[in-house]
Amino acid sequence: MQREQQSPVLVTGSTSGIGLAIAHAMAKAGYPVMLHGLLWPEEGETLAREFRDSYGVPCRISTADISTETGCAQLVADTREALGNPAVLVNNAGVQFTANACEFPAEQWQRILSINLSAAFYLSRDLLPSMRDRRWGRIVNISSVHGLVASEQKAAYCAAKHGLVGLTRVLALENADCGVTANAVCPGWVETPLIEPQIEKIARDGNIDLEAARARLIGAKQPIAKATRPEAIAGLVLYLCGEYAETITGAALPVDGGWTAQ
Ligand SMILES: NC(=O)c1ccc[n+]([C@@H]2O[C@H](COP(=O)([O-])OP(=O)(O)OC[C@H]3O[C@@H](n4cnc5c(N)ncnc54)[C@H](O)[C@@H]3O)[C@@H](O)[C@H]2O)c1
């Protein structure tokens, strides 16, 4: 089934990095967009206005903190009030913290699990009924290669991203009868602020400059030793919302320079 014209899109964590690129791609393609992320309200309003001016589509923002169920409910309420029920939900917001498991602080474990995994569950649970009613919907979960394979020092991140792939598969099966698909995108390294602390740590530990540290980080895992552009992830999300993707569901799609082919 073709999507309805003007289906609103909610992209969590769309004030930066991959989410921002997804929001640009969706607005450019004519979707009304609900932006979301941790910005000061005035900064958020400026960003939403820039989207409306650039793309001529309805665009609003919520700055709800989605690290709790209440925060997720706030985001759902903000979105419904601003644009109505979204037909596309992109669960993209995510955070990172690295340490060996035996030293991993409990508050970082909770923070990563709640933002990277539980928020996707709460938002999907609350928004699926209206997608089912309209018999068209798309859930795209931005997981990671760390939803498919592991790396040291990423206990919470790997647990959350593997969990997100599992959640995606369940949502795909439960909604296969009504035009709603659910897929996970699994990027390797992407050029965004999220990876900067890891690059800085390698530079500090190895006493090398940032460019050398960036090359070392990416080359250690990816046969194509090049970070993916956020716009490339956005292009895949747009494809998953398009007419040719109607039978793609329950997939976990790597965009990783060959990382998981090894
Ligand atoms: N950058 C990479 O190399 C890479 C690789 C694989 C997967 N990912 C995943 O892609 C997604 C986006 O990552 P990115 O690199 O663009 O990150 P980023 O740091 O550039 O952006 C993160 C976004 O999430 C929002 N956010 C964080 N905590 C929040 C909270 N508690 N409540 C509301 N919003 C919150 C931020 O405001 C921001 O908009 C994440 O899920 C990340 O795990 C990133």
Side-chain angles (χ1 to χ4, degrees), residues 120-239:
F121 164 67
Y122 294 131
L123 294 169
S124 302
R125 182 195 63 187
D126 291 355
L127 295 174
L128 267 164
S130 60
M131 293 185 197
R132 290 183 60 86
D133 284 348
R134 73 165 85 200
R135 300 197 70 76
W136 194 93
R138 295 286 179 265
I139 295 180
V140 183
N141 293 325
I142 306 302
S143 179
S144 164
V145 285
H146 291 110
L148 304 171
V149 296
S151 293
E152 293 167 8
Q153 303 219 311
K154 294 188 177 172
Y157 192 80
C158 284
K161 294 298 188 180
H162 275 69
L164 195 53
V165 169
L167 173 66
T168 305
R169 291 176 175 149
V170 174
L171 297 180
L173 297 179
E174 289 181 357
N175 295 285
D177 59 338
C178 63
V180 176
T181 68
N183 290 289
V185 175
C186 299
W189 298 117
V190 184
E191 281 293 350
T192 77
L194 187 99
I195 68 172
E196 292 307 316
Q198 297 170 73
I199 293 168
E200 285 158 17
K201 184 168 187 297
I202 291 171
R204 263 195 321 275
D205 293 352
N207 200 22
I208 54 177
D209 67 31
L210 286 173
E211 274 324 295
R214 187 181 306 275
R216 187 176 292 180
L217 180 79
I218 295 166
K221 297 283 189 179
Q222 292 195 188
I224 298 177
K226 192 174 169 186
T228 299
R229 288 172 297 151
E231 293 75 13
I233 306 297
L236 178 54
V237 173
L238 194 58
Y239 181 82

Side-chain angles (χ1 to χ4, degrees), residues 90-121:
V90 183
N91 287 305
N92 164 79
V95 291
Q96 177 62 284
F97 181 86
T98 55
N100 285 331
C102 54
E103 293 155 2
F104 214 91
E107 66 273 17
Q108 290 295 345
W109 171 269
Q110 291 299 346
R111 176 172 161 264
I112 290 177
L113 267 286
S114 61
I115 297 167
N116 296 18
L117 178 58
S118 300
F121 164 67

